[in-house]
mmCIF file of all heavy atoms in Angstrom:
data_model
loop_
_atom_site.group_PDB
_atom_site.id
_atom_site.type_symbol
_atom_site.label_atom_id
_atom_site.label_comp_id
_atom_site.label_asym_id
_atom_site.label_seq_id
_atom_site.Cartn_x
_atom_site.Cartn_y
_atom_site.Cartn_z
ATOM 1 N N PRO L 1 21.771 -61.309 -88.627
ATOM 2 C CA PRO L 1 21.786 -59.995 -89.292
ATOM 3 C C PRO L 1 21.117 -58.871 -88.512
ATOM 4 O O PRO L 1 21.455 -57.699 -88.703
ATOM 5 C CB PRO L 1 21.047 -60.279 -90.606
ATOM 6 C CG PRO L 1 21.317 -61.708 -90.889
ATOM 7 C CD PRO L 1 21.309 -62.368 -89.547
ATOM 8 N N ASP L 2 20.171 -59.204 -87.619
ATOM 9 C CA ASP L 2 19.539 -58.142 -86.815
ATOM 10 C C ASP L 2 20.376 -57.725 -85.622
ATOM 11 O O ASP L 2 19.985 -56.867 -84.843
ATOM 12 C CB ASP L 2 18.149 -58.582 -86.342
ATOM 13 C CG ASP L 2 18.192 -59.780 -85.393
ATOM 14 O OD1 ASP L 2 19.291 -60.297 -85.137
ATOM 15 O OD2 ASP L 2 17.106 -60.178 -84.927
ATOM 16 N N GLY L 3 21.580 -58.339 -85.471
ATOM 17 C CA GLY L 3 22.467 -57.993 -84.369
ATOM 18 C C GLY L 3 22.339 -58.875 -83.152
ATOM 19 O O GLY L 3 23.163 -58.795 -82.233
ATOM 20 N N ASN L 4 21.311 -59.727 -83.128
ATOM 21 C CA ASN L 4 21.106 -60.617 -81.993
ATOM 22 C C ASN L 4 22.043 -61.814 -82.046
ATOM 23 O O ASN L 4 22.193 -62.443 -83.096
ATOM 24 C CB ASN L 4 19.641 -61.098 -81.991
ATOM 25 C CG ASN L 4 19.393 -62.180 -80.966
ATOM 26 O OD1 ASN L 4 19.531 -63.357 -81.252
ATOM 27 N ND2 ASN L 4 18.999 -61.770 -79.786
ATOM 28 N N SER L 5 22.696 -62.095 -80.923
ATOM 29 C CA SER L 5 23.523 -63.316 -80.825
ATOM 30 C C SER L 5 22.726 -64.349 -80.057
ATOM 31 O O SER L 5 22.504 -64.193 -78.843
ATOM 32 C CB SER L 5 24.842 -63.011 -80.108
ATOM 33 O OG SER L 5 25.629 -62.124 -80.858
ATOM 34 N N SER L 6 22.236 -65.384 -80.731
ATOM 35 C CA SER L 6 21.310 -66.321 -80.108
ATOM 36 C C SER L 6 21.884 -67.719 -79.962
ATOM 37 O O SER L 6 22.756 -68.142 -80.739
ATOM 38 C CB SER L 6 19.992 -66.373 -80.899
ATOM 39 O OG SER L 6 20.196 -66.860 -82.201
ATOM 40 N N PHE L 7 21.402 -68.400 -78.940
ATOM 41 C CA PHE L 7 21.839 -69.728 -78.527
ATOM 42 C C PHE L 7 22.034 -70.658 -79.710
ATOM 43 O O PHE L 7 21.162 -70.834 -80.548
ATOM 44 C CB PHE L 7 20.761 -70.269 -77.585
ATOM 45 C CG PHE L 7 20.947 -71.669 -77.097
ATOM 46 C CD1 PHE L 7 22.214 -72.214 -76.924
ATOM 47 C CD2 PHE L 7 19.847 -72.432 -76.746
ATOM 48 C CE1 PHE L 7 22.379 -73.502 -76.436
ATOM 49 C CE2 PHE L 7 19.988 -73.713 -76.255
ATOM 50 C CZ PHE L 7 21.245 -74.268 -76.100
ATOM 51 N N ALA L 8 23.222 -71.278 -79.762
ATOM 52 C CA ALA L 8 23.527 -72.229 -80.835
ATOM 53 C C ALA L 8 24.283 -73.408 -80.239
ATOM 54 O O ALA L 8 25.090 -73.252 -79.324
ATOM 55 C CB ALA L 8 24.362 -71.562 -81.925
ATOM 56 N N LEU L 9 24.003 -74.581 -80.768
ATOM 57 C CA LEU L 9 24.730 -75.783 -80.351
ATOM 58 C C LEU L 9 24.719 -76.783 -81.510
ATOM 59 O O LEU L 9 24.145 -76.517 -82.561
ATOM 60 C CB LEU L 9 24.123 -76.419 -79.101
ATOM 61 C CG LEU L 9 22.820 -77.176 -79.210
ATOM 62 C CD1 LEU L 9 22.612 -78.041 -77.943
ATOM 63 C CD2 LEU L 9 21.611 -76.277 -79.381
ATOM 64 N N TRP L 10 25.349 -77.954 -81.266
ATOM 65 C CA TRP L 10 25.470 -79.005 -82.252
ATOM 66 C C TRP L 10 26.394 -78.573 -83.393
ATOM 67 O O TRP L 10 25.969 -78.346 -84.520
ATOM 68 C CB TRP L 10 24.102 -79.434 -82.770
ATOM 69 C CG TRP L 10 24.082 -80.693 -83.594
ATOM 70 C CD1 TRP L 10 25.125 -81.388 -84.098
ATOM 71 C CD2 TRP L 10 22.912 -81.405 -84.014
ATOM 72 N NE1 TRP L 10 24.709 -82.477 -84.797
ATOM 73 C CE2 TRP L 10 23.338 -82.516 -84.771
ATOM 74 C CE3 TRP L 10 21.542 -81.222 -83.838
ATOM 75 C CZ2 TRP L 10 22.453 -83.415 -85.334
ATOM 76 C CZ3 TRP L 10 20.664 -82.105 -84.392
ATOM 77 C CH2 TRP L 10 21.114 -83.199 -85.147
ATOM 78 N N PHE L 11 27.668 -78.424 -83.059
ATOM 79 C CA PHE L 11 28.678 -78.015 -84.018
ATOM 80 C C PHE L 11 29.318 -79.252 -84.646
ATOM 81 O O PHE L 11 29.842 -80.107 -83.934
ATOM 82 C CB PHE L 11 29.744 -77.155 -83.345
ATOM 83 C CG PHE L 11 29.199 -75.999 -82.562
ATOM 84 C CD1 PHE L 11 29.716 -75.671 -81.309
ATOM 85 C CD2 PHE L 11 28.174 -75.228 -83.054
ATOM 86 C CE1 PHE L 11 29.212 -74.615 -80.585
ATOM 87 C CE2 PHE L 11 27.652 -74.156 -82.323
ATOM 88 C CZ PHE L 11 28.172 -73.853 -81.100
ATOM 89 N N THR L 12 29.248 -79.360 -85.947
ATOM 90 C CA THR L 12 29.823 -80.518 -86.645
ATOM 91 C C THR L 12 31.212 -80.231 -87.211
ATOM 92 O O THR L 12 31.761 -81.036 -87.943
ATOM 93 C CB THR L 12 28.894 -80.989 -87.764
ATOM 94 O OG1 THR L 12 28.673 -79.910 -88.679
ATOM 95 C CG2 THR L 12 27.563 -81.455 -87.183
ATOM 96 N N GLY L 13 31.744 -79.087 -86.888
ATOM 97 C CA GLY L 13 33.080 -78.711 -87.350
ATOM 98 C C GLY L 13 33.451 -77.365 -86.787
ATOM 99 O O GLY L 13 32.707 -76.758 -86.022
ATOM 100 N N GLY L 14 34.615 -76.880 -87.199
ATOM 101 C CA GLY L 14 35.027 -75.540 -86.813
ATOM 102 C C GLY L 14 35.714 -75.472 -85.450
ATOM 103 O O GLY L 14 35.606 -76.387 -84.635
ATOM 104 N N ILE L 15 36.404 -74.378 -85.241
ATOM 105 C CA ILE L 15 37.018 -74.059 -83.944
ATOM 106 C C ILE L 15 36.704 -72.612 -83.607
ATOM 107 O O ILE L 15 36.476 -71.781 -84.493
ATOM 108 C CB ILE L 15 38.538 -74.257 -83.959
ATOM 109 C CG1 ILE L 15 39.217 -73.402 -85.044
ATOM 110 C CG2 ILE L 15 38.894 -75.733 -84.132
ATOM 111 C CD1 ILE L 15 40.732 -73.418 -85.017
ATOM 112 N N PHE L 16 36.672 -72.308 -82.331
ATOM 113 C CA PHE L 16 36.491 -70.920 -81.886
ATOM 114 C C PHE L 16 37.854 -70.298 -81.653
ATOM 115 O O PHE L 16 38.734 -70.923 -81.014
ATOM 116 C CB PHE L 16 35.688 -70.858 -80.591
ATOM 117 C CG PHE L 16 34.223 -71.132 -80.763
ATOM 118 C CD1 PHE L 16 33.551 -71.964 -79.882
ATOM 119 C CD2 PHE L 16 33.503 -70.552 -81.789
ATOM 120 C CE1 PHE L 16 32.197 -72.219 -80.019
ATOM 121 C CE2 PHE L 16 32.152 -70.789 -81.956
ATOM 122 C CZ PHE L 16 31.493 -71.628 -81.067
ATOM 123 N N VAL L 17 38.049 -69.074 -82.135
ATOM 124 C CA VAL L 17 39.309 -68.371 -81.907
ATOM 125 C C VAL L 17 39.034 -67.013 -81.304
ATOM 126 O O VAL L 17 38.010 -66.381 -81.565
ATOM 127 C CB VAL L 17 40.148 -68.226 -83.190
ATOM 128 C CG1 VAL L 17 40.495 -69.591 -83.776
ATOM 129 C CG2 VAL L 17 39.441 -67.367 -84.238
ATOM 130 N N ASN L 18 39.971 -66.550 -80.485
ATOM 131 C CA ASN L 18 39.860 -65.241 -79.856
ATOM 132 C C ASN L 18 40.520 -64.165 -80.707
ATOM 133 O O ASN L 18 40.900 -64.398 -81.864
ATOM 134 C CB ASN L 18 40.454 -65.292 -78.439
ATOM 135 C CG ASN L 18 41.940 -65.634 -78.443
ATOM 136 O OD1 ASN L 18 42.615 -65.554 -79.475
ATOM 137 N ND2 ASN L 18 42.458 -66.022 -77.286
ATOM 138 N N GLN L 19 40.677 -62.981 -80.106
ATOM 139 C CA GLN L 19 41.242 -61.845 -80.837
ATOM 140 C C GLN L 19 42.714 -62.044 -81.206
ATOM 141 O O GLN L 19 43.255 -61.315 -82.042
ATOM 142 C CB GLN L 19 41.074 -60.565 -80.024
ATOM 143 C CG GLN L 19 41.936 -60.477 -78.769
ATOM 144 C CD GLN L 19 41.313 -61.223 -77.579
ATOM 145 O OE1 GLN L 19 40.284 -61.859 -77.698
ATOM 146 N NE2 GLN L 19 41.963 -61.115 -76.420
ATOM 147 N N ASP L 20 43.352 -63.060 -80.599
ATOM 148 C CA ASP L 20 44.736 -63.372 -80.945
ATOM 149 C C ASP L 20 44.829 -64.501 -81.962
ATOM 150 O O ASP L 20 45.948 -64.989 -82.281
ATOM 151 C CB ASP L 20 45.513 -63.785 -79.678
ATOM 152 C CG ASP L 20 45.621 -62.626 -78.700
ATOM 153 O OD1 ASP L 20 45.816 -61.486 -79.135
ATOM 154 O OD2 ASP L 20 45.464 -62.876 -77.476
ATOM 155 N N GLY L 21 43.678 -64.936 -82.481
ATOM 156 C CA GLY L 21 43.680 -66.006 -83.462
ATOM 157 C C GLY L 21 43.935 -67.378 -82.869
ATOM 158 O O GLY L 21 44.334 -68.302 -83.587
ATOM 159 N N GLU L 22 43.712 -67.540 -81.564
ATOM 160 C CA GLU L 22 43.994 -68.777 -80.874
ATOM 161 C C GLU L 22 42.729 -69.400 -80.284
ATOM 162 O O GLU L 22 41.813 -68.688 -79.861
ATOM 163 C CB GLU L 22 45.010 -68.534 -79.756
ATOM 164 C CG GLU L 22 46.347 -68.014 -80.285
ATOM 165 C CD GLU L 22 47.321 -67.700 -79.160
ATOM 166 O OE1 GLU L 22 46.861 -67.540 -78.004
ATOM 167 O OE2 GLU L 22 48.531 -67.585 -79.438
ATOM 168 N N ARG L 23 42.722 -70.718 -80.261
ATOM 169 C CA ARG L 23 41.625 -71.421 -79.596
ATOM 170 C C ARG L 23 41.631 -71.072 -78.113
ATOM 171 O O ARG L 23 42.697 -70.844 -77.523
ATOM 172 C CB ARG L 23 41.748 -72.934 -79.746
ATOM 173 C CG ARG L 23 41.423 -73.477 -81.108
ATOM 174 C CD ARG L 23 41.592 -74.990 -81.127
ATOM 175 N NE ARG L 23 40.507 -75.695 -80.423
ATOM 176 C CZ ARG L 23 40.616 -76.858 -79.827
ATOM 177 N NH1 ARG L 23 41.801 -77.474 -79.777
ATOM 178 N NH2 ARG L 23 39.572 -77.432 -79.260
ATOM 179 N N PHE L 24 40.421 -71.095 -77.489
ATOM 180 C CA PHE L 24 40.361 -70.760 -76.073
ATOM 181 C C PHE L 24 39.411 -71.659 -75.290
ATOM 182 O O PHE L 24 39.238 -71.462 -74.082
ATOM 183 C CB PHE L 24 39.927 -69.304 -75.890
ATOM 184 C CG PHE L 24 38.557 -68.980 -76.433
ATOM 185 C CD1 PHE L 24 37.434 -69.052 -75.635
ATOM 186 C CD2 PHE L 24 38.384 -68.605 -77.762
ATOM 187 C CE1 PHE L 24 36.165 -68.769 -76.134
ATOM 188 C CE2 PHE L 24 37.141 -68.301 -78.265
ATOM 189 C CZ PHE L 24 36.017 -68.395 -77.454
ATOM 190 N N VAL L 25 38.834 -72.684 -75.952
ATOM 191 C CA VAL L 25 37.796 -73.464 -75.274
ATOM 192 C C VAL L 25 37.574 -74.768 -76.025
ATOM 193 O O VAL L 25 37.913 -74.896 -77.220
ATOM 194 C CB VAL L 25 36.490 -72.639 -75.218
ATOM 195 C CG1 VAL L 25 35.797 -72.578 -76.571
ATOM 196 C CG2 VAL L 25 35.526 -73.165 -74.144
ATOM 197 N N ASN L 26 36.970 -75.745 -75.335
ATOM 198 C CA ASN L 26 36.467 -76.953 -75.964
ATOM 199 C C ASN L 26 35.150 -76.616 -76.668
ATOM 200 O O ASN L 26 34.132 -76.387 -76.018
ATOM 201 C CB ASN L 26 36.249 -78.042 -74.898
ATOM 202 C CG ASN L 26 35.445 -79.220 -75.399
ATOM 203 O OD1 ASN L 26 35.175 -79.391 -76.577
ATOM 204 N ND2 ASN L 26 35.020 -80.070 -74.461
ATOM 205 N N GLU L 27 35.175 -76.586 -77.973
ATOM 206 C CA GLU L 27 33.995 -76.136 -78.746
ATOM 207 C C GLU L 27 32.802 -77.085 -78.631
ATOM 208 O O GLU L 27 31.662 -76.700 -78.911
ATOM 209 C CB GLU L 27 34.364 -75.997 -80.227
ATOM 210 C CG GLU L 27 35.415 -74.939 -80.510
ATOM 211 C CD GLU L 27 36.855 -75.449 -80.384
ATOM 212 O OE1 GLU L 27 37.060 -76.623 -79.954
ATOM 213 O OE2 GLU L 27 37.781 -74.675 -80.707
ATOM 214 N N SER L 28 33.037 -78.333 -78.221
ATOM 215 C CA SER L 28 31.941 -79.311 -78.092
ATOM 216 C C SER L 28 31.436 -79.435 -76.668
ATOM 217 O O SER L 28 30.595 -80.299 -76.392
ATOM 218 C CB SER L 28 32.402 -80.670 -78.614
ATOM 219 O OG SER L 28 32.627 -80.627 -80.006
ATOM 220 N N ALA L 29 31.920 -78.599 -75.760
ATOM 221 C CA ALA L 29 31.466 -78.674 -74.379
ATOM 222 C C ALA L 29 29.999 -78.248 -74.282
ATOM 223 O O ALA L 29 29.466 -77.561 -75.169
ATOM 224 C CB ALA L 29 32.334 -77.771 -73.493
ATOM 225 N N ALA L 30 29.363 -78.635 -73.205
ATOM 226 C CA ALA L 30 27.998 -78.180 -72.950
ATOM 227 C C ALA L 30 27.974 -76.664 -72.947
ATOM 228 O O ALA L 30 28.898 -75.993 -72.491
ATOM 229 C CB ALA L 30 27.503 -78.723 -71.616
ATOM 230 N N TYR L 31 26.885 -76.111 -73.471
ATOM 231 C CA TYR L 31 26.829 -74.677 -73.806
ATOM 232 C C TYR L 31 27.078 -73.769 -72.610
ATOM 233 O O TYR L 31 27.750 -72.735 -72.725
ATOM 234 C CB TYR L 31 25.489 -74.342 -74.480
ATOM 235 C CG TYR L 31 24.292 -75.078 -73.923
ATOM 236 C CD1 TYR L 31 23.529 -74.555 -72.897
ATOM 237 C CD2 TYR L 31 23.922 -76.308 -74.443
ATOM 238 C CE1 TYR L 31 22.447 -75.237 -72.398
ATOM 239 C CE2 TYR L 31 22.831 -77.005 -73.952
ATOM 240 C CZ TYR L 31 22.096 -76.475 -72.923
ATOM 241 O OH TYR L 31 21.015 -77.161 -72.410
ATOM 242 N N ASP L 32 26.551 -74.097 -71.425
ATOM 243 C CA ASP L 32 26.801 -73.238 -70.279
ATOM 244 C C ASP L 32 28.267 -73.278 -69.873
ATOM 245 O O ASP L 32 28.842 -72.254 -69.504
ATOM 246 C CB ASP L 32 25.905 -73.648 -69.111
ATOM 247 C CG ASP L 32 26.020 -72.714 -67.912
ATOM 248 O OD1 ASP L 32 25.476 -71.609 -67.996
ATOM 249 O OD2 ASP L 32 26.684 -73.086 -66.907
ATOM 250 N N ARG L 33 28.878 -74.450 -69.936
ATOM 251 C CA ARG L 33 30.311 -74.550 -69.618
ATOM 252 C C ARG L 33 31.121 -73.741 -70.616
ATOM 253 O O ARG L 33 32.082 -73.054 -70.231
ATOM 254 C CB ARG L 33 30.753 -76.014 -69.653
ATOM 255 C CG ARG L 33 30.185 -76.846 -68.522
ATOM 256 C CD ARG L 33 30.702 -78.274 -68.554
ATOM 257 N NE ARG L 33 32.136 -78.373 -68.220
ATOM 258 C CZ ARG L 33 32.795 -79.515 -68.174
ATOM 259 N NH1 ARG L 33 32.184 -80.666 -68.455
ATOM 260 N NH2 ARG L 33 34.088 -79.529 -67.858
ATOM 261 N N LEU L 34 30.733 -73.775 -71.882
ATOM 262 C CA LEU L 34 31.434 -73.006 -72.896
ATOM 263 C C LEU L 34 31.268 -71.501 -72.634
ATOM 264 O O LEU L 34 32.240 -70.724 -72.686
ATOM 265 C CB LEU L 34 30.902 -73.387 -74.275
ATOM 266 C CG LEU L 34 31.773 -73.104 -75.509
ATOM 267 C CD1 LEU L 34 31.319 -73.961 -76.668
ATOM 268 C CD2 LEU L 34 31.744 -71.650 -75.899
ATOM 269 N N GLY L 35 30.017 -71.108 -72.332
ATOM 270 C CA GLY L 35 29.750 -69.701 -72.055
ATOM 271 C C GLY L 35 30.510 -69.195 -70.832
ATOM 272 O O GLY L 35 31.054 -68.084 -70.838
ATOM 273 N N ARG L 36 30.568 -70.024 -69.797
ATOM 274 C CA ARG L 36 31.274 -69.615 -68.579
ATOM 275 C C ARG L 36 32.781 -69.535 -68.793
ATOM 276 O O ARG L 36 33.458 -68.669 -68.226
ATOM 277 C CB ARG L 36 30.926 -70.551 -67.423
ATOM 278 C CG ARG L 36 29.518 -70.350 -66.920
ATOM 279 C CD ARG L 36 29.118 -71.267 -65.793
ATOM 280 N NE ARG L 36 27.734 -70.988 -65.445
ATOM 281 C CZ ARG L 36 27.347 -70.021 -64.623
ATOM 282 N NH1 ARG L 36 28.264 -69.257 -64.038
ATOM 283 N NH2 ARG L 36 26.076 -69.805 -64.373
ATOM 284 N N ALA L 37 33.298 -70.433 -69.614
ATOM 285 C CA ALA L 37 34.733 -70.360 -69.950
ATOM 286 C C ALA L 37 35.030 -69.038 -70.656
ATOM 287 O O ALA L 37 36.054 -68.389 -70.386
ATOM 288 C CB ALA L 37 35.132 -71.530 -70.822
ATOM 289 N N ALA L 38 34.140 -68.645 -71.573
ATOM 290 C CA ALA L 38 34.317 -67.365 -72.241
ATOM 291 C C ALA L 38 34.238 -66.198 -71.253
ATOM 292 O O ALA L 38 35.064 -65.271 -71.294
ATOM 293 C CB ALA L 38 33.270 -67.201 -73.335
ATOM 294 N N LEU L 39 33.276 -66.243 -70.350
ATOM 295 C CA LEU L 39 33.118 -65.164 -69.368
ATOM 296 C C LEU L 39 34.338 -65.055 -68.454
ATOM 297 O O LEU L 39 34.768 -63.947 -68.129
ATOM 298 C CB LEU L 39 31.864 -65.410 -68.518
ATOM 299 C CG LEU L 39 30.535 -65.017 -69.191
ATOM 300 C CD1 LEU L 39 29.367 -65.506 -68.350
ATOM 301 C CD2 LEU L 39 30.458 -63.507 -69.376
ATOM 302 N N ASP L 40 34.877 -66.193 -68.041
ATOM 303 C CA ASP L 40 36.062 -66.158 -67.190
ATOM 304 C C ASP L 40 37.218 -65.461 -67.890
ATOM 305 O O ASP L 40 37.975 -64.680 -67.278
ATOM 306 C CB ASP L 40 36.489 -67.584 -66.816
ATOM 307 C CG ASP L 40 35.548 -68.233 -65.812
ATOM 308 O OD1 ASP L 40 34.733 -67.514 -65.190
ATOM 309 O OD2 ASP L 40 35.607 -69.474 -65.656
ATOM 310 N N GLN L 41 37.348 -65.717 -69.192
ATOM 311 C CA GLN L 41 38.452 -65.118 -69.933
ATOM 312 C C GLN L 41 38.178 -63.645 -70.276
ATOM 313 O O GLN L 41 39.101 -62.844 -70.374
ATOM 314 C CB GLN L 41 38.735 -65.950 -71.193
ATOM 315 C CG GLN L 41 39.286 -67.320 -70.828
ATOM 316 C CD GLN L 41 39.481 -68.221 -72.031
ATOM 317 O OE1 GLN L 41 40.263 -67.903 -72.916
ATOM 318 N NE2 GLN L 41 38.775 -69.342 -72.068
ATOM 319 N N ILE L 42 36.925 -63.308 -70.446
ATOM 320 C CA ILE L 42 36.569 -61.883 -70.612
ATOM 321 C C ILE L 42 36.940 -61.135 -69.324
ATOM 322 O O ILE L 42 37.478 -60.032 -69.349
ATOM 323 C CB ILE L 42 35.077 -61.733 -70.931
ATOM 324 C CG1 ILE L 42 34.789 -62.256 -72.353
ATOM 325 C CG2 ILE L 42 34.636 -60.279 -70.811
ATOM 326 C CD1 ILE L 42 33.307 -62.367 -72.676
ATOM 327 N N ALA L 43 36.638 -61.759 -68.182
ATOM 328 C CA ALA L 43 36.900 -61.107 -66.895
ATOM 329 C C ALA L 43 38.385 -60.899 -66.652
ATOM 330 O O ALA L 43 38.795 -59.880 -66.082
ATOM 331 C CB ALA L 43 36.302 -61.938 -65.765
ATOM 332 N N ASP L 44 39.239 -61.846 -67.120
ATOM 333 C CA ASP L 44 40.675 -61.655 -66.874
ATOM 334 C C ASP L 44 41.382 -60.970 -68.048
ATOM 335 O O ASP L 44 42.609 -60.852 -68.059
ATOM 336 C CB ASP L 44 41.352 -62.983 -66.530
ATOM 337 C CG ASP L 44 41.387 -64.008 -67.678
ATOM 338 O OD1 ASP L 44 41.252 -63.600 -68.845
ATOM 339 O OD2 ASP L 44 41.547 -65.199 -67.389
ATOM 340 N N GLY L 45 40.604 -60.540 -69.048
ATOM 341 C CA GLY L 45 41.166 -59.758 -70.134
ATOM 342 C C GLY L 45 41.782 -60.539 -71.262
ATOM 343 O O GLY L 45 42.353 -59.944 -72.193
ATOM 344 N N THR L 46 41.653 -61.867 -71.253
ATOM 345 C CA THR L 46 42.265 -62.657 -72.311
ATOM 346 C C THR L 46 41.327 -62.923 -73.482
ATOM 347 O O THR L 46 41.735 -63.507 -74.484
ATOM 348 C CB THR L 46 42.765 -64.006 -71.747
ATOM 349 O OG1 THR L 46 41.660 -64.711 -71.148
ATOM 350 C CG2 THR L 46 43.855 -63.792 -70.708
ATOM 351 N N LEU L 47 40.063 -62.499 -73.364
ATOM 352 C CA LEU L 47 39.109 -62.648 -74.463
ATOM 353 C C LEU L 47 38.269 -61.408 -74.570
ATOM 354 O O LEU L 47 37.823 -60.833 -73.563
ATOM 355 C CB LEU L 47 38.197 -63.858 -74.202
ATOM 356 C CG LEU L 47 37.059 -64.087 -75.213
ATOM 357 C CD1 LEU L 47 37.611 -64.476 -76.585
ATOM 358 C CD2 LEU L 47 36.087 -65.158 -74.720
ATOM 359 N N THR L 48 38.074 -60.959 -75.795
ATOM 360 C CA THR L 48 37.146 -59.881 -76.053
ATOM 361 C C THR L 48 36.085 -60.359 -77.031
ATOM 362 O O THR L 48 36.311 -61.279 -77.800
ATOM 363 C CB THR L 48 37.871 -58.652 -76.650
ATOM 364 O OG1 THR L 48 38.507 -59.041 -77.889
ATOM 365 C CG2 THR L 48 38.928 -58.098 -75.698
#
């Protein structure tokens, strides 16, 4: 609620979706791998 996006892991459900409503990553991957996958897609314009 304060606007901070803080480190989270240990997901027991759910999927991540992008602005197109589509999955874009392995949600159970190690957190840095997940973060880097997101950054790669932000860089090429496929994720906002």
Side-chain angles (χ1 to χ4, degrees):
D2 64 357
N4 171 271
S5 295
S6 63
F7 176 30
L9 75 164
W10 191 349
F11 308 137
T12 58
I15 57 173
F16 286 135
V17 301
N18 62 16
Q19 70 277 4
D20 295 320
E22 298 177 341
R23 287 180 74 208
F24 61 92
V25 74
N26 167 11
E27 297 86 354
S28 293
Y31 38 91
D32 185 75
R33 291 182 69 180
L34 201 160
R36 288 179 182 276
L39 281 171
D40 288 345
Q41 293 176 62
I42 290 170
D44 68 20
T46 57
L47 175 67
T48 59

